[in-house]
Amino acid sequence: MTEPPPESVRGENALLKSLKSGGIITSNPVDGKPFVETYCAPRETSLEGMAPYVPKSPSSWCLVRFFLACARADWHLRLNKISSTLAAIDRRRRKVGTSGASHDVARATALIAVFKQLRPLYPRPYLCLFDSFALLEFLASWRIYPHVVFGVIADPFQAHCWLQEGSVILNDELERVARYIPVLSM
């Protein structure tokens, strides 16, 4: 009897399936488009590598915003095509015009720390797509709108996404993200 694949492999397979079903990637070269690398600010630092901010006990308002953000991200990923979810993110970004994260790094850092502290409370395994969308929704509830970046490694194929503001990676490590070529940033 073979063992089931580790959680990280199942998460990667789910992401690949989601990207294929949404028409973002294809395994058939005839159906694909020529590769065009998207503009993404150089990745220079990561909040993961900075001195950790240890939040005090989150307020009940933070808890409400956290669960609403996770539920909204979960709902979008389960019921909508990824292309429509990305279109909604793009519309919201255009409507507000600015991120807010670059103007108040300390506040954004504190909110990300609260999100990470609360994340084990939401019953869904780690998947970069869900965690990035949920964190994006959480930050948006405080009018902070960082960029979602999708990157790939060609051989063997791997896809990953993360949040980034300017040259700062918000929810991943610089060393990991540096291996990926950005293909979409919004």
Side-chain angles (χ1 to χ4, degrees):
M1 178 179 354
T2 61
E3 288 186 36
E7 188 64 43
S8 61
V9 172
R10 286 194 304 266
E12 288 175 12
N13 290 339
L15 176 60
L16 284 174
K17 184 178 177 184
S18 174
L19 291 172
K20 283 182 180 181
S21 69
I24 305 296
I25 62 172
T26 180
S27 55
N28 184 351
V30 174
D31 295 334
K33 296 178 184 175
F35 175 76
V36 178
E37 188 172 338
T38 188
Y39 174 75
C40 178
R43 297 154 285 178
E44 296 174 354
T45 58
S46 168
L47 291 182
E48 299 282 327
M50 296 179 181
Y53 170 84
V54 180
K56 54 186 175 197
S57 183
S59 69
S60 56
W61 189 231
C62 283
L63 281 167
V64 169
R65 288 182 183 202
F66 168 77
F67 282 108
L68 286 173
C70 288
R72 184 172 179 160
D74 209 351
W75 178 78
H76 274 290
L77 291 173
R78 289 181 194 271
L79 301 178
N80 297 321
K81 288 186 174 184
I82 194 166
S83 57
S84 64
T85 300
L86 293 174
I89 290 169
D90 190 44
R91 280 192 305 274
R92 180 172 62 191
R93 173 171 284 288
R94 288 179 192 201
K95 183 178 177 182
V96 296
T98 183
S99 164
S102 57
H103 303 297
D104 195 350
V105 175
R107 184 170 168 233
T109 302
L111 291 170
I112 292 167
V114 167
F115 180 88
K116 287 180 181 180
Q117 180 184 24
L118 296 174
R119 178 58 180 94
L121 300 177
Y122 195 79
R124 184 170 173 153
Y126 173 81
L127 178 65
C128 64
L129 188 62
F130 169 76
D131 282 73
S132 292
F133 283 4
L135 179 56
L136 182 71
E137 291 296 332
F138 184 69
L139 293 173
S141 70
W142 273 278
R143 304 176 101 32
I144 297 173
Y145 306 94
H147 292 267
V148 179
V149 180
F150 290 84
V152 297
I153 296 174
D155 191 26
F157 181 80
Q158 295 178 35
H160 186 52
C161 69
W162 61 91
L163 298 184
Q164 183 171 332
E165 183 58 35
S167 62
V168 180
I169 299 159
L170 304 180
N171 64 333
D172 210 332
E173 297 175 357
L174 180 61
E175 295 76 27
R176 179 177 177 179
V177 169
R179 298 188 324 241
Y180 291 87
I181 299 170
V183 293
L184 179 64
S185 175
M186 55 182 0

